[in-house]
Amino acid sequence: MTHPPYLSPGYGSTVLRAPSQPPVAFKADPDAIELTSPVFGHQEVGALDADLTRQHDGEPIGERIIVTGRVLDAGGRPVRDSLIELWQANSAGRYAHAGDQHPAPLDPNFTGGGRCLTDADGRYRFVTIKPGAYPWRNHPNAWRPAHLHFSVFGQAFTQRLITQMYFPGDPLMALDPIYQSIPDESARQRLISSYAHDVTEPEWALGYTFDIVLGRTPVEPS
Amino acid sequence: MTTPSQTIGPFYSHALPYPHDWELVPGTHPEAITLSGTVRDGAGEPVPDALLEIWLGDTGDRGALLRGDGQVSGFGRCATRPDGGYRFRLARPAGPYLSMQVFARGLLRSVLTRVYLEDRPDPFLDGLDPDRRATLIATGPAGDHRFDVRLQGEGETVFLDF
Ligand SMILES: [Fe+2]
């Protein structure tokens, strides 16, 4: 099973929020609006929206990184012109969100939100800084591994996906109930980006790759 | 080799909401209706950090993200208020229902449901347990529809698996 179960008691917030009834299987109706998706125009996304290091007057503190990859459907075909949104903590592990009380510094030059559209090859590319790990109150001494939040649309509203990308070699992944909520080891590993030396730019930024594969829709041929 | 889902978490407000995200039509639109409600958890408590998206099946001329000069969009987004409430302004959809997706801290995967604006015979509704069917039908006066989402427990909303 790819996705985590709704109820995953190690992640305390699921206990009162996980539906108790299984979702109702939907009999394929080719006219269902859930099989279509909003269309995002290039005028809706600014050219600089994909560079989170250039949203303020100065440069954010942290390790500059390039994150790129492709959005693919279940058959391996590229998903083009699809909106991808990314958000994250700053390099100290603090979100630019009023509710984040972690006593780590805010960075006046980093908001931590970006978006872009995939190209004809399904490819996206963000420039940002590597986020820090941060504590949360789920259990004693709980820390989230460094991660980027990704939101992807795809070609059908049923393919809508929000997920998190992790970094290779992070020892906190083994201790994280959100990452560990995915039962299957190989599925979990699909959320770990790869260090990519060919994406790394000399004297500038480290490169990581992360592909996103969307679920099959009920009317999609296999 | 599908990519697994993870929770939206609590801290998306600096990135996902956008100007006029909840307004699929301007307030001056002659066919504007509102859809509002509250998201609640298994204890009946409001969920103050959910993000709702609705999709009507047609992007329209107002844009999905950038609300342009057009009159109608088919996509909207609304973060719940501290009291768990949300509100959309939209044009009445062409079909009997609209699609709604809910993301929240504690939801490791989004839940997808349908909002039917009126109770009428429908192949999907008619296949549901009669007790649960009502969870998909908006209440309130025509034009000012109300649809509560109960994630868990008494009156739990029917969610769909595609
Ligand atoms: Fe996070």
Side-chain angles (χ1 to χ4, degrees):
Chain A
M1 183 170 145
T2 292
H3 296 293
Y6 285 109
L7 181 61
S8 189
Y11 173 24
S13 297
T14 67
V15 172
L16 280 175
R17 293 185 171 188
S20 62
Q21 307 266 351
V24 174
F26 172 80
K27 244 177 46 209
D29 162 12
D31 296 326
I33 61 177
E34 293 92 341
L35 300 178
T36 62
S37 172
V39 175
F40 298 96
H42 284 269
Q43 76 286 353
E44 296 195 279
V45 178
L48 280 177
D49 290 356
D51 189 340
L52 286 73
T53 69
R54 294 170 67 185
Q55 296 175 345
H56 298 274
D57 290 341
E59 284 226 61
I61 301 287
E63 187 180 314
R64 196 181 295 115
I65 59 172
I66 297 160
V67 181
T68 185
R70 297 170 77 202
V71 180
L72 303 166
D73 70 12
R77 293 169 288 257
V79 179
R80 63 186 60 179
D81 296 328
S82 187
L83 180 71
I84 302 200
E85 293 159 286
L86 173 152
W87 72 102
Q88 62 172 101
N90 69 20
S91 62
R94 176 89 184 261
Y95 282 93
H97 180 287
D100 186 355
Q101 299 299 314
H102 176 33
L106 285 165
D107 184 339
N109 291 314
F110 192 73
T111 304
R115 55 167 80 118
C116 73
L117 292 187
T118 55
D119 68 12
D121 211 24
R123 188 166 297 281
Y124 70 88
R125 184 179 188 273
F126 288 104
V127 177
T128 184
I129 51 102
K130 189 172 180 185
Y134 60 83
W136 59 314
R137 295 175 190 280
N138 187 69
H139 57 274
N141 207 12
W143 290 79
R144 296 293 331 278
H147 59 276
L148 303 178
H149 294 265
F150 274 85
S151 162
V152 185
F153 274 82
Q155 290 158 325
F157 207 46
T158 60
Q159 289 178 312
R160 184 88 179 81
L161 177 73
I162 285 185
T163 191
Q164 300 181 25
M165 184 205 96
Y166 300 88
F167 291 87
D170 190 332
L172 292 172
M173 284 185 287
L175 304 170
D176 179 45
I178 293 181
Y179 177 71
Q180 294 293 337
S181 68
I182 301 161
D184 180 59
E185 166 72 20
S186 62
R188 281 200 294 277
Q189 288 181 356
R190 296 201 284 275
L191 293 185
I192 306 174
S193 57
S194 300
Y195 171 70
H197 202 59
D198 57 336
V199 175
T200 294
E201 295 191 3
E203 327 298 330
W204 180 248
L206 293 176
Y208 291 87
T209 55
F210 178 60
D211 288 343
I212 296 168
V213 181
L214 301 176
R216 194 177 301 283
T217 69
V219 294
E220 191 177 326
S222 33
Chain B
M1 289 315 194
T2 310
T3 303
S5 173
Q6 295 271 266
T7 179
I8 190 172
F11 299 141
Y12 57 79
S13 69
H14 60 291
L16 298 183
Y18 55 93
H20 306 288
D21 54 4
W22 67 279
E23 297 177 292
L24 287 72
V25 297
T28 53
H29 190 281
E31 314 270 315
I33 63 173
T34 56
L35 175 69
S36 60
T38 302
V39 182
R40 292 183 187 280
D41 70 11
E45 293 298 318
V47 175
D49 51 8
L51 185 78
L52 280 71
E53 290 181 349
I54 60 171
W55 168 235
L56 278 57
D58 183 347
T59 302
D61 60 2
R62 186 169 155 83
L65 276 186
L66 194 66
R67 300 304 195 205
D69 297 332
Q71 286 291 298
V72 180
S73 175
F75 177 74
R77 186 179 268 175
C78 184
T80 53
R81 299 184 302 257
D83 66 357
Y86 76 88
R87 178 179 160 89
F88 289 103
R89 189 196 306 124
L90 64 152
R92 177 173 287 278
Y97 68 92
L98 56 96
S99 182
M100 175 182 279
Q101 195 139 195
V102 182
F103 303 88
R105 171 177 62 85
L107 280 181
L108 285 160
R109 188 183 184 185
S110 63
V111 288
L112 184 66
T113 188
R114 281 183 171 182
V115 181
Y116 284 81
L117 295 180
E118 286 161 27
D119 191 356
R120 55 160 85 164
D122 175 271
F124 176 70
L125 280 183
D126 296 346
L128 297 173
D129 178 338
D131 290 348
R132 303 200 67 209
R133 170 194 171 109
T135 68
L136 299 190
I137 298 163
T139 58
D144 189 17
H145 304 270
R146 186 161 178 92
F147 184 82
D148 293 332
V149 177
R150 180 73 185 243
L151 293 176
Q152 183 195 89
E154 193 187 328
E156 184 174 311
T157 304
V158 170
F159 300 113
L160 281 69
D161 176 24
F162 277 81

